[in-house]
Amino acid sequence: MKLTTIAFKNVRKNLSFYSLYLFSVAFILTVFFTFVSFSMNDIMIEKISEDGRVETMTRTISVFLMAFVLFYMSYSNTFFMKRRMKELGIYALLGYRKSAMLKLLTFENILISIGALLIGIIMGGFAHKGIVGGISMLLDLRINSGIIPLFNEKAVFYSLVFVFVVVLALSFSNWRLLRKTTLLSLVRLEKAVEKPIKIRVPAAVLGLLLIIAGDGVAIDAIRGKESLWKSIGISPMGLLMVMLITAGTSLFIYSFVPYLMRKLEKRKSLLYKEIAIVTIPKFIYRIRTNAKTLIMLSLLIAGTLGVFGSTALTMYYPMAAVTRIIPSALEFPVEKPEQAERAIQALHEVIGPGQYEALQTTFLKVRSQSDNLPTEYTLGKESGFELIALSDYNRLLVQQGKKIGHKQLENNSVLLVKYRSDPEKKDVGQIYRLSLPANQSLDVTVRDTTLANPVGFNISVGILVISDELYHRLADLKLPEFSVMSIDGPDLRQSKTAYEALQPILKDNPYFASAYARTYEIMYANSSTFLLLGFLTVLFFIAAGSILYFHNISAVTYEQKDYEILSKMGYSKRKIQKMIRRQIQVMYAIPFGIGFVHSICGLVCYKSLLIDDVLGQSHQIIVPVAMALAIAGVIFCLYYFITKRACYRAAFPR
């Protein structure tokens, strides 16, 4: 029989066996082709890249993406080779040479790769179109999608060449494996005896300490300026954290987990149960092989959850921070009264009467001679305090839809508007000496602090809210002042029409701010980064889930005869299925649990070091991270149910 005929029959008769491999590879090649098509879309790249940053990122991620696809397909190929060793041994007994078996394996890889690539190109073409349409609509790029081909010829050629290289690499790997194996090893490789592992308590304790130290280094970032990240440096501390977590995870799984399982094995009340007496010794017996996979999966899942969580946090937080950066929908300093009138008239024409509220507020500018001044004093374009009357402050808060926190202030008491949160209230009770004309001064006491800034930080940072009586007294001293126009209304923060109506009139005003324009700017500047990180996140999920699937189904297939023996001993099908579930749950729980803890610590470190927390509300940080981790949990649960179903079928073939 010809090798091509054998290859076709193998694929056709084992379609269910190859199906997940085919579709998982097709899914990865879909992501790959989509990314390649996007990176070769000159029209889109020119629209979203102004400084070459997107081109650099796409080139960097392309290299990473190719390495990842090669790694995943190599791992999957190794899995299938182990599953087919007995079959290859039979071919050898029938007289087939190793060169013939290599041709058979290569032809099968070509069939699967071509099928996966065709699916990937078709799905990737539509996915690319969808991404282009989505970005165009989101950023209002006004790109004619009709001129963008469904299948980019250069991307198709690039993908074909890459898949050809991958097939060659897989063939070389198969050749090396076949060359160093004997006939007996081909038949018995599936059931190779694993050497019993020796439990080393010092290594187990060291692994636990290293893993705690690695996560502790990450959490240390919450101390801010006092942390080691600031005193030593981000790069060396980041390298130390990665080394500690990697070494700790390896020793933890390789030594501490089997040590823990040994302790459980000695507990007779736990061990001598119909399920545990089989699963615990079996896990300990195969821990050496499982450890390598568990270590890789733990680090991979930690990276997956970390990238996914940081992407969600990076997308969500700047959007939420716009509410503080620009508290009103539209605001600008009033430099010329006639300019403000023109702006209000233009808004009246496009929005209509009664659809907005406009409030003009006057601030007084004053300096201080104190030594204990807050950081906000020097954060503005000019050092100093801006004073606002309590009644004006409260009216602005009501217009912006915020709650009023203080309804009255004593004569010389002030409310300090903070840039960042101050949980310890260090500024409360501080006395600031304000410098007044004619060498006069006034001492004011900070009664409380707040994060509810009435105007944007581009206009004012160091704001003191004072009583109306004190405000009028100081206004009579002819202190320097400036006025700010704040405009709000239903859906006005998302109104492109309102922004475009005011922008021509206020184009010469550098402090004109729009919540819509700021949000658009953030989306435009980060859209490519989010998209590229999205590609990586999808790949990580596919890799982690598929490796868990292949590893579990491989273990169950190898132990099929053991299940037959257990059935003859009186174990029912339901009990054997429960036993299989326990094995799968352990293989999912260990890497997911370790990866989850690492990712949480990493996200805490990321937030503390790289995100300027101007919201001061912990739930604003928790919400996007919790949503990202919940989505990840759902995805892994789906993989778990798919794995469980496939393992049941492998254990009880019809």
Side-chain angles (χ1 to χ4, degrees), residues 552-563:
N552 280 284
I553 197 173
S554 176
V556 170
T557 303
Y558 294 161
E559 296 164 1
Q560 185 179 346
K561 292 184 179 179
D562 297 342
Y563 298 133

Side-chain angles (χ1 to χ4, degrees), residues 449-499:
T449 60
T450 180
L451 292 176
N453 50 304
V455 295
F457 294 129
N458 65 324
I459 297 175
S460 177
V461 181
I463 296 177
L464 293 179
V465 183
I466 61 178
S467 65
D468 289 12
E469 181 184 350
L470 180 57
Y471 178 86
H472 292 306
R473 253 172 53 201
L474 296 178
D476 291 338
L477 298 177
K478 304 300 181 182
L479 289 171
E481 62 181 38
F482 66 94
S483 295
V484 178
M485 180 68 73
S486 302
I487 306 172
D488 292 280
D491 301 322
L492 208 57
R493 296 186 68 85
Q494 296 82 37
S495 175
K496 177 184 177 183
T497 304
Y499 167 71

